[in-house]
Each structure stands twice: as structure tokens, then as C-alpha cells.
Amino acid sequence: MAYRRFEGKEHAACYWRYRIAPSELLIQKVLDFLQKHRGGPFQLAVDVGCGSGQGTLLLSKHFASVVGTDVSPAQLEVALQQAKEPGITYRECAAEDLPFADSSADLVTAMTAFHWFDRPRFLQEAHRVLKPQGCLALLSYTIDMELSYPGCCEHTLNQVCKEFYAALQPYRSPHLGKSSIKLYKEAYDSLPYPNKDWQECFWDRRIMPLSSYMGLVQSFSSYQALLRKDPDEANRLSQDICERLMSVMKVTSAETEVTVAVKYFYLLACKPQET
């Protein structure tokens, strides 16, 4: 079954403000795979579970038309406010029931969303929607991000981060298991496509204020579950972690920029040519 999360207006705004999108380098890996197996020009990309639309915006540079889909009206409302590029539209629908014709899309992708879907049904639906030799791209990242700051001991800094993640682990949805990577690898193994690629560790580094790193972790489902159960404890935890990180960095402002290393994993698969 599918699981619905992140649908409130406040959480949608948090997603737009803090959630990260894949880097251009990672998007290029998807495009290179698509170019190799299908060739251009690229017409239609469908970004399923698009949330507030960060990934949808990235795809718009490379496709004649990009449609972001999501079950959450609040998320789509935020996405529409940011959809300045031509060729982007949004549709409210379930990932397992996409409003597209058979064999109509060059690319079907889900960026940090596939783990919430009814996965077997979604894979069947993606197969239906993809053109022959069209590509499926499922990307996500783990919560165990790493920080670095000039002149600071990375081990000490990241020990604080690990304590943050460990405190949130009991609030992780049972639906996700111990690791989302396993869910994606199972999907990769189940796809009967001869041309497919699996990457379990792709580090993407970016610079952001420490406050944005904190907001990013707070946008995860485990933190949101703690926030719903005990708002005071959630706020105490995040304040304590932020203060300890600043102490290790020897800074007094949470707006100090840090380098955040994000561990992505992804699968790419090409639908076979129909005979």
C-alpha cells in the first residue's frame, strides 16, 4: 500500500525551503542514461511524488514538457508558486494511477519519494506510461549526512550529527525498514529490464548555512513523527544539537555556512523495445 506523508501546508513550505534536489551532475547521469538508450530530443518527463517541485524544475531545462505529480494539494500549491519555467505543469494524482497515456513518457522519475509508494503497483504503472526504450529513474538519499567546516575536527562534528540521527531512529516509519536503500535495491532486482544501472553511494556535496542543515533534518519523516508526538522534546533536541555543532565549530551564528555531504543512491532502468 501507499503511505501519505508531508501533506500539511507548513510541511510543504518547509520542503520548499529546506529539501534539497539532486545536483546537476546527478541529473546529468540520468540524462546520459536516457540519451544512450533512447536518444533525444526529450519530449515528456513525469516527476512522480514531486513534492514542492525542486526536481521538476531541474528537469524542465532538458524536456519539452515536464509534469510533476503528487497526492498533496499543499505541496502542489507551493510547487505552482515556483513554476516559472515554460513547459512545467502539475497534476494531483496517486503515484499508482498516473493520468498519462500508454507509452507516452521518455522519462518517469521519483526523487526521494518511491519508498512511500505502493512499489509494485507503481513499477507496473511506470512501465505502462514509459515509451519503448524510455527510462525509469528512482533517486533518493540517506539521513546520515556528513558536515565539514574549515579548521574543525570532522570526526567530532559528525559524532554530534550521528547522535541526532540516532535520536530520531525510533521514530522512523516501520514501512521504511532499517534502510531505504534496501527497498530500492529490491526494486532494481525485480525489474525484468536487461539495461539497468544501480548505484548505492554517490556523494553530493553542497554549501549551506548550518540552519538549513538543521531544517533539512527536521523535514525528514522521523523528526516530523517526533514533532507530532512531543513538540517540546523535538524542539529541545534540535536546539541542543545546533548549539553543540556551533560549539564544535567555534561559531556563534547558525547562519555560518558548512559543507554538507549527502549520500545519494539510485537506480536507472530502460524499458525494452516492444516487439
Side-chain angles (χ1 to χ4, degrees), residues 43-83:
Q43 297 300 317
L44 173 63
V46 180
D47 182 21
V48 186
C50 67
S52 47
Q54 289 95 324
T56 318
L57 287 169
L58 283 174
L59 293 173
S60 68
K61 305 173 186 178
H62 308 284
F63 292 83
S65 176
V66 181
V67 182
T69 76
D70 206 281
V71 294
S72 168
Q75 291 281 5
L76 293 176
E77 182 181 344
V78 173
L80 282 166
Q81 294 171 0
Q82 312 299 330

Side-chain angles (χ1 to χ4, degrees), residues 12-254:
C14 176
Y15 249 50
W16 174 256
R17 184 175 180 184
Y18 295 118
R19 275 286 182 162
I20 55 175
S23 64
E24 291 284 0
L25 179 60
L26 185 48
I27 290 294
Q28 192 58 52
K29 288 186 177 294
V30 175
L31 298 173
D32 289 346
F33 187 86
L34 181 58
Q35 179 68 45
K36 176 182 177 181
H37 293 287
R38 176 163 181 81
F42 306 144
Q43 297 300 317
L44 173 63
V46 180
D47 182 21
V48 186
C50 67
S52 47
Q54 289 95 324
T56 318
L57 287 169
L58 283 174
L59 293 173
S60 68
K61 305 173 186 178
H62 308 284
F63 292 83
S65 176
V66 181
V67 182
T69 76
D70 206 281
V71 294
S72 168
Q75 291 281 5
L76 293 176
E77 182 181 344
V78 173
L80 282 166
Q81 294 171 0
Q82 312 299 330
K84 309 301 182 184
E85 283 73 6
I88 296 180
T89 55
Y90 290 98
R91 299 288 296 273
E92 182 184 340
C93 66
E96 304 80 13
D97 188 17
L98 300 172
F100 302 98
D102 294 357
S103 302
S104 59
D106 297 284
L107 175 71
V108 173
T109 186
M111 307 185 199
T112 322
F114 171 70
H115 41 276
W116 295 116
F117 303 163
D118 182 324
R119 296 183 292 275
R121 287 183 57 203
F122 168 74
L123 292 175
Q124 292 177 352
E125 186 70 342
H127 179 83
R128 180 189 68 79
V129 169
L130 282 170
K131 296 176 182 177
Q133 296 184 290
C135 292
L136 173 68
L138 305 178
L139 299 74
S140 193
Y141 54 90
T142 67
I143 192 174
D144 52 341
M145 296 166 284
E146 296 182 358
L147 302 186
S148 60
Y149 183 72
C152 176
C153 174
E154 289 189 22
H155 174 78
T156 304
L157 192 64
N158 286 299
Q159 190 59 41
V160 178
C161 296
K162 289 178 181 178
E163 291 180 31
F164 196 9
Y165 309 146
L168 298 178
Q169 183 65 27
Y171 301 93
R172 181 178 173 85
S173 170
H175 169 73
L176 300 179
K178 292 184 177 180
S179 172
S180 299
I181 295 177
K182 181 180 178 182
L183 306 181
Y184 285 70
K185 184 57 165 61
E186 288 173 350
Y188 172 81
D189 291 337
S190 74
L191 284 168
Y193 297 172
N195 296 314
K196 55 185 180 178
D197 184 27
W198 168 252
Q199 176 59 255
E200 191 164 311
C201 183
F202 179 90
W203 287 101
D204 185 9
R205 289 172 172 80
R206 58 193 69 201
I207 296 173
M208 64 179 71
L210 180 62
S211 61
S212 293
Y213 161 77
M214 295 298 301
L216 176 56
V217 178
Q218 290 164 7
S219 75
F220 275 83
S221 60
S222 53
Y223 183 87
Q224 291 295 312
L226 171 59
L227 187 64
R228 289 192 298 272
K229 180 180 179 180
D230 190 339
D232 290 339
E233 174 59 20
N235 291 325
R236 184 208 62 77
L237 174 65
S238 60
Q239 182 176 351
D240 176 65
I241 292 294
C242 187
E243 289 176 353
R244 289 174 61 194
L245 290 172
M246 288 192 295
S247 176
V248 174
M249 294 162 59
K250 295 181 172 59
V251 300
T252 58
S253 172

